[in-house]
Amino acid sequence: MTWKLVKNKYYWDKKNVKLTKINFSVQKSQSTSYNLYQVGKLDMTTLSASQSKSLKNQKGWQIKEDNRTQYLMYNFKTDKNLRNVNLRGAIAAAINKESLTWLTSPLLL
């Protein structure tokens, strides 16, 4: 899947926006994404844990905060126990929510 972001000519501060276009490409696997990065078809890619370990000293390797929104959802269809509101409350209490809000990803730039 790919999509393109283009500079908004009606943006109030358009003179300070340096990019005119950004092309996004979503890959099904991190290895595909990494291979495309290696041959110059991507400018940046996230890395798996094993890729990150082996490439840690390579030029362009960085840790960046990751900006995204995700959510966790209970699967009531496959586990009937999760229909119990008290069990769901106990699971929610056991999750360290603060640690989930600050995710970082290793990147190659």
Side-chain angles (χ1 to χ4, degrees):
M1 175 189 303
T2 62
W3 68 91
K4 185 185 305 187
L5 301 177
V6 294
K7 185 175 179 176
N8 182 347
K9 64 182 178 181
Y10 302 109
Y11 181 60
W12 70 272
D13 197 22
K14 65 183 175 209
K15 69 177 188 264
N16 289 314
V17 177
K18 307 299 181 213
L19 297 173
T20 58
K21 171 176 72 168
I22 299 173
N23 295 315
F24 281 94
S25 175
V26 178
Q27 307 305 317
K28 289 186 179 187
S29 74
Q30 287 179 317
S31 61
T32 301
S33 182
Y34 174 70
N35 291 336
L36 290 170
Y37 173 84
Q38 289 293 88
V39 297
K41 293 192 176 193
L42 294 179
D43 295 323
M44 179 178 97
T45 186
T46 57
L47 298 170
S48 68
S50 61
Q51 289 169 332
S52 182
K53 283 180 186 176
S54 67
L55 299 167
K56 190 171 184 173
N57 297 319
Q58 182 173 328
K59 180 183 174 192
W61 184 91
Q62 297 179 25
I63 294 283
K64 294 283 188 183
E65 286 188 9
D66 201 1
N67 300 312
R68 63 178 149 185
T69 301
Q70 292 182 293
Y71 63 93
L72 300 172
M73 194 165 115
Y74 297 107
N75 187 343
F76 299 112
K77 291 180 182 178
T78 61
D79 191 338
K80 296 185 188 327
N81 295 317
L82 292 174
R83 294 180 185 168
N84 182 319
V85 68
N86 295 320
L87 176 61
R88 293 194 314 266
I91 293 170
I95 295 172
N96 183 340
K97 295 162 192 72
E98 186 174 326
S99 70
L100 288 177
T101 61
W102 297 102
L103 299 175
T104 58
S105 296
L107 301 173
L108 273 178
L109 299 171

